[in-house]
Amino acid sequence: MTKSIKMMAIPRAKKASLAASGYMLKIKKFKVYLLVSRAVGLMSVGFHHSAGLSQSPQPRVQLTTEPPIGQIIPFEAEASKPQLPVKLTLQV
């Protein structure tokens, strides 16, 4: 009978060790996944910031008026003196 008990114990022990090694393998894969995801995240942040630095500055556009904006009077329906329209100019 001792042989049969030993014979049964060996396959159980092998299954237990395989299950434990499978669990350890899952933990190792998870750690590798975390390391890779952190590296990809840091690289994406770096690329995002470097892309902003390499762009050329946007052209500046300015709106000017003739006469100057301080002298502009809104149009009135029944104005006693004639009102001239304002000339708007975009300057690049």
Side-chain angles (χ1 to χ4, degrees):
M1 276 221 193
T2 58
K3 283 188 176 180
S4 64
I5 293 173
K6 285 183 182 178
M7 298 278 249
M8 291 175 65
I10 290 173
R12 286 183 185 171
K14 283 184 180 179
K15 285 183 182 178
S17 68
L18 288 176
S21 66
Y23 178 72
M24 294 301 290
L25 185 62
K26 286 182 183 179
I27 290 177
K28 286 182 182 179
K29 284 183 180 179
F30 183 69
K31 286 182 180 179
V32 169
Y33 170 76
L34 285 178
L35 179 68
V36 169
S37 63
R38 285 181 184 167
V40 169
L42 288 173
M43 288 172 55
S44 66
V45 168
F47 288 139
H48 176 71
H49 286 292
S50 67
L53 296 175
S54 66
Q55 292 178 353
S56 60
Q58 296 294 324
R60 186 175 167 190
V61 178
Q62 188 175 9
L63 179 66
T64 58
T65 63
E66 184 62 44
I69 210 151
Q71 298 175 2
I72 297 174
I73 301 171
F75 282 109
E76 295 179 11
E78 296 181 18
S80 57
K81 60 181 183 177
Q83 297 172 325
L84 299 174
V86 175
K87 180 181 177 184
L88 300 175
T89 309
L90 286 175
Q91 293 180 342
V92 181

